Amino acid sequence: MESTHSTSGQEQPAGSVLAGSQPHLEATLHALQTTKLPHLLPAAGDNLYRWMNLLQTVEGDRFAPLILELQNLYNAIDHGTPNGPQVKDCLQKLAGLTTQAAATADAESKGKLQDLAQALRVAASTL
């Protein structure tokens, strides 16, 4: 099992880093489940940036595909007029990558990450 070091010096599963910020995970999930996608755009850039920063704290390149896809989504929505097909493709890919990450997450985070993956799929289906 891959691991990473926390600031306390204890090792933790690399997948749990995705949920290292429970409030951020819950806020992202809530936004996707309760807000229509176009209304997410004003805060999306900051939210994506936070996720990229969080994932970059993991040693190695385990989350490189997820970081790349977050960057692709950021680029697709960055200019005020989102590229719908590109955003849809990114959301679908992120859903798959989030499902994979849930498999290695801690028990507390696993369900939330699975819910996040489902919310990403639903968001993609609206485009």
Side-chain angles (χ1 to χ4, degrees):
M1 175 183 283
E2 291 187 44
S3 63
T4 185
H5 296 281
S6 69
T7 55
S8 66
Q10 296 177 343
E11 290 194 5
Q12 61 182 9
S16 69
V17 172
L18 276 176
S21 173
Q22 285 293 325
H24 186 52
L25 174 62
E26 290 172 13
T28 301
L29 182 57
H30 177 75
L32 282 167
Q33 290 175 333
T34 61
T35 308
K36 294 198 184 289
L37 201 54
H39 299 292
L40 290 172
L41 289 178
D46 182 51
N47 208 7
L48 291 169
Y49 180 76
R50 283 199 223 167
W51 278 116
M52 287 185 280
N53 271 350
L54 181 64
L55 295 173
Q56 288 171 346
T57 66
V58 178
E59 290 180 28
D61 62 357
R62 172 177 169 80
F63 293 118
L66 192 50
I67 294 166
L68 177 63
E69 206 53 50
L70 288 167
Q71 184 66 53
N72 289 341
L73 180 59
Y74 182 86
N75 291 340
I77 64 172
D78 188 39
H79 303 293
T81 47
N83 179 327
Q86 187 178 3
V87 170
K88 181 177 184 167
D89 183 58
C90 290
L91 292 173
Q92 289 170 334
K93 288 178 182 173
L94 285 168
L97 292 167
T98 302
T99 298
Q100 291 173 9
T104 61
D106 58 51
E108 180 182 358
S109 304
K110 182 174 276 198
K112 289 179 184 171
L113 288 170
Q114 290 168 338
D115 290 346
L116 179 58
Q118 181 59 31
L120 289 165
R121 281 186 199 90
V122 169
S125 73
T126 67
L127 296 175

